[in-house]
Amino acid sequence: MDIAVDHVLKEFSRYPALDDVSLQIKSGELIALLGPSGSGKTTLLRLIAGLERPTAGRIFFGDEDASSKSVQERNVGFVFQAYALFRNMTVLENVSFGLKVRPRATRPPNAEIRKRALELLDLVQLSGLHQRYPQQLSGGQRQRVALARALAIEPRVLLLDEPFGALDAQVRKELRKWLREIHDRTGHTTVFVTHDQEEALELADRLVVMSRGKIEQVGSPDTVYDDPNSPFVFGFIGESSSLPVEIENGELWVGGRAIGLSAGDTPKGNAQLYFRPHDVELVPEGAALAGVAASTRRVGGTRRVELEIGGLSHRVEIDLPFDHPTGEKSRIAFKPKRWKLFPTG
């Protein structure tokens, strides 16, 4: 099912939670809405679901204008962070619920409902647990039941709002790999909200990065990570360091000296240099960035070094091999291997 969000405005007490947002979602895609708190990602998800109505603009399911249709009319499956399972029902009854409450004309026979619910429990790797109650399951198992219940109604669109937010890190990693496998097997058009960059980069076909009610960038995980189109996206997706620079004669200058990097097509003037801490190389001091190590700490298999750049009261972070003999007050020269410039003048 294709979804089109067409110039949508959503206001709460005249405050624009979404401001002229447009988005095309292809049938069978897994899309991540990613952004900080207050960016509008959950509001957009609720508008697609039919839990909210747009103040202006329209939402299409295929060629059909669904803007004024209810959740039931849109036939969406919804998975919340808090599971929202019925505590007094067994796992099987929870999964069967959406089918059992259908109008009589569209309700399958009880035997067919039971068969489908058991098949879905097998799909989500919970076979044999159908007689248990939610409180007898782990958090990860409860979220699998919630997903099975959402899939039971054969939704046109599957929507997930921070589905793993209440789980610990290891369970999250296991479940997101599992969710990707489920998506590939079922082929549902899926939209999920997350603030976890690693989760979005690993799971999604495309990322929709949001800030202050607007979409900042849409693209594949590789495109958004490797070619961010704004300082916000570069700073929000992955880890980054930034440094104020001057552009003169097609080169970058810091503290009154050239640092050996080309400015490309960026015009003369002030700019901000962005790069990833892991994406640097050490070089002999000269036409390069140089600084004094203010602190070091271990980050996984690398050593994260905070450098105070000479000539500036500014610090950046770079990653070095863990066994690199760097101590505080050591002087280090380096160059980013990949970087982006954003004019500030």
Side-chain angles (χ1 to χ4, degrees):
M1 172 61 65
D2 291 344
I3 302 172
V5 178
D6 183 29
H7 296 287
V8 162
L9 169 71
K10 179 60 181 177
E11 293 180 333
F12 295 102
S13 302
R14 292 191 160 183
Y15 173 78
L18 291 176
D19 187 3
D20 193 26
V21 167
S22 293
L23 177 65
Q24 298 286 333
I25 301 173
K26 301 171 190 172
S27 181
E29 265 194 311
L30 199 162
I31 291 281
L33 305 180
L34 179 66
S37 297
S39 62
K41 55 189 185 296
T42 294
T43 300
L44 178 54
L45 193 78
R46 291 176 62 85
L47 285 166
I48 294 172
L51 295 168
E52 303 283 355
R53 297 284 189 270
T55 306
R58 296 184 295 174
I59 295 173
F60 291 88
F61 278 31
D63 296 327
E64 175 187 22
D65 187 348
S67 306
S68 60
K69 292 187 179 296
S70 68
V71 178
Q72 292 75 20
E73 290 172 315
R74 298 185 196 197
N75 190 28
V76 299
F78 216 121
V79 180
F80 298 91
Q81 175 179 328
Y83 320 127
L85 300 178
F86 301 112
R87 295 174 58 85
N88 62 331
M89 292 184 183
T90 66
V91 166
L92 182 65
E93 290 168 335
N94 266 282
V95 176
S96 304
F97 180 79
L99 294 174
K100 286 189 172 182
V101 297
R102 278 185 175 176
R104 187 177 296 275
T106 59
R107 187 189 313 156
N110 285 338
E112 187 177 326
I113 292 175
R114 177 182 173 85
K115 180 174 180 289
R116 174 156 180 77
L118 289 172
E119 287 173 348
L120 284 167
L121 287 173
D122 183 51
L123 178 69
V124 301
Q125 301 170 359
L126 291 177
S127 296
L129 302 182
H130 59 285
Q131 293 299 335
R132 293 193 185 181
Y133 287 86
Q135 57 268 33
Q136 296 174 308
L137 303 177
S138 69
Q141 288 173 328
R142 290 181 207 173
Q143 199 57 290
R144 293 181 189 219
V145 175
L147 180 60
R149 186 178 62 182
L151 292 173
I153 63 170
E154 298 180 325
R156 295 196 288 176
V157 178
L158 182 63
L159 305 174
L160 304 100
D161 188 6
E162 297 275 7
F164 310 136
L167 305 173
D168 64 57
Q170 187 57 41
V171 175
R172 288 177 73 116
K173 286 185 177 181
E174 293 171 1
L175 282 188
R176 65 185 182 224
K177 184 185 298 182
W178 165 82
L179 178 61
R180 182 70 231 195
E181 292 171 356
I182 294 288
H183 171 80
D184 291 341
R185 288 173 65 180
T186 61
H188 285 90
T189 302
T190 303
V191 184
F192 78 99
V193 162
T194 183
H195 66 273
D196 187 318
Q197 304 159 27
E198 184 179 335
E199 188 168 278
L201 289 166
E202 182 177 334
L203 266 175
D205 296 317
R206 286 194 300 155
L207 306 184
V208 179
V209 184
M210 301 185 67
S211 174
R212 298 182 179 181
K214 291 183 177 290
I215 292 176
E216 292 277 343
Q217 186 170 356
V218 180
S220 70
D222 285 347
T223 297
V224 173
Y225 187 88
D226 293 332
D227 192 22
N229 65 1
S230 69
F232 170 81
V233 176
F234 207 124
F236 185 74
I237 300 294
E239 296 181 311
S240 65
S241 283
S242 67
L243 196 64
V245 297
E246 295 178 353
I247 299 173
E248 185 74 41
N249 298 324
E251 287 188 291
L252 303 191
W253 292 65
V254 172
R257 65 187 187 89
I259 60 172
L261 298 179
S262 169
D265 297 329
T266 307
K268 177 180 176 180
N270 295 325
Q272 197 78 5
L273 170 70
Y274 281 81
F275 59 91
R276 307 285 185 197
H278 67 267
D279 213 2
V280 302
E281 60 180 341
L282 299 184
V283 295
E285 192 157 345
L289 282 165
V292 175
S295 66
T296 73
R297 66 184 189 276
R298 181 167 186 158
V299 178
T302 62
R303 183 168 296 282
R304 178 68 51 86
V305 180
E306 186 180 35
L307 292 178
E308 190 167 306
I309 300 300
L312 298 173
S313 56
H314 199 93
R315 293 184 176 186
V316 299
E317 292 185 330
I318 65 172
D319 289 343
L320 300 177
F322 179 71
D323 57 358
H324 190 277
T326 300
E328 292 191 17
K329 304 303 182 184
S330 300
R331 187 167 177 82
I332 297 173
F334 72 97
K335 283 186 180 180
K337 291 187 281 188
R338 289 187 293 183
W339 68 93
K340 285 208 77 169
L341 288 171
F342 296 102
T344 56

